[in-house]
Structure formats: C-alpha cells, structure tokens
Amino acid sequence: MKKIILTLAVVLTAAFANAQDMKFGVRGGVDMVSAKTTVSTSIGGVTYSASGTTSTTGFYVGGFADFSIADKLTLEPGINYHTASKDGYKFDFLSVPVTFKYQVADKINVLAGPALFYNMDSAAQDKTTFNLDLGGSYDITENFFVDPRYSLGLTGDTKVSHILIGVGYRF
C-alpha cells in the first residue's frame, strides 16, 4: 500500500510540476467537529447497538497549492492543522485534502475530493481516517476567498465529520 501511495505521489508531482498556472496560499477558519461513535454487542444471539455524538467548535489553519488542470478545473492539495476541545478532551488532527475545484460561474466554485485525517492523540484507536470533502468557494478578489466545506467521516469506529468555514489568500 505504501508503494502505491508513493508511486501515485511521484506521478502527480511530475505531472503538475510543469503546470502553467500554479499558485500557493494559506487558509484558516472555524472547525465545527462532530464525532459519532457506535458500539455493538451480542447477548444471547441478539445484537444491541448504542451510539453517541460529541460536538465541539475549534479552528483550523493550513496551506495549499492550486494546479490548473483545464480552463475551469483546478486540483488543490493541501495540509491543515485542526484543533478543538470539549470537557477536557482535545481533538487534534492533521488533514491532507486533495480537492478538485470547478468554476461554475464568475467567482463561484464547487469542490469535492478525498481527505486523509491523522489523529494526533496517542491514545486514539483510529489514527488515520478518510473523509470526503464537499463544498464551495467564493472569490472576493483574485487572491482573497471564502471557503465553506463539509468533511464527511467515512472510515473508523468513530466517524469524525467537520463543518469548515474559512477564508484564504492565494499568493
């Protein structure tokens, strides 16, 4: 698996190294975290399930690169640090989203793509999880934008989802 990921990273890097239109930027904003845990047990052939949800609000900061793929399509890999706390428990994550952004109208974009989340809590059962990011962006100026998105937790015993409302700046 590591060889496949490394090969894919090298191919993508080589493919976009010659990109005509490449920009770098920073972003940050509010992170509304929701962690849903489901526990199941069987007693006498009957399965019982219980679930619980913990929600809190924190922030995220990070950086990204924009690679122009086609006239209205860009690839936007990035790395972000997320933190939030509630009742003495702290959520600390690193995320690596790889989103495709499509311009649907002047200054308005939709985006979607996978995101890898790494839980920095040493006691966490699920250290690495995958999410699906869906959202949009509005370009206030050529460099400054707002970027709301939803990151849906797909894997792990605890599904951690994020509502991210941020702003960013392209250099």
Side-chain angles (χ1 to χ4, degrees), residues 8-77:
L8 183 60
V10 169
V11 169
L12 286 174
T13 302
F16 295 112
N18 295 325
Q20 300 271 336
D21 188 17
M22 181 173 69
K23 296 179 181 177
F24 295 94
V26 293
R27 73 165 42 99
V30 176
D31 183 357
M32 292 171 266
V33 183
S34 176
K36 182 177 181 181
T37 303
T38 302
V39 178
S40 297
T41 187
S42 293
I43 300 173
V46 178
T47 302
Y48 299 94
S49 295
S51 63
T53 302
T54 301
S55 299
T56 187
T57 301
F59 71 92
Y60 74 100
V61 294
F64 65 92
D66 268 343
F67 298 98
S68 180
I69 296 174
D71 184 35
K72 295 183 176 193
L73 182 66
T74 59
L75 177 68
E76 189 176 277

Side-chain angles (χ1 to χ4, degrees), residues 24 62 107 142:
F24 295 94
K107 300 185 177 193
E142 186 176 329

Side-chain angles (χ1 to χ4, degrees), residues 8 12 16 27 65-70 72-78 97-104 109-115 132-137 147 149:
L8 183 60
L12 286 174
F16 295 112
R27 73 165 42 99
D66 268 343
F67 298 98
S68 180
I69 296 174
K72 295 183 176 193
L73 182 66
T74 59
L75 177 68
E76 189 176 277
V98 180
T99 55
F100 290 91
K101 184 168 59 171
Y102 184 75
Q103 182 182 13
V104 295
N109 307 287
V110 294
L111 55 94
L132 174 63
D133 283 7
L134 303 167
S137 69
D147 182 18
R149 63 177 72 188

Side-chain angles (χ1 to χ4, degrees), residues 113-117 129-133 150-155 159-162:
L116 172 73
F117 276 77
T129 59
F130 290 95
N131 286 26
L132 174 63
D133 283 7
Y150 179 67
S151 187
L152 173 65
L154 299 175
T155 62
K159 305 281 193 276
V160 180
S161 298
H162 304 257

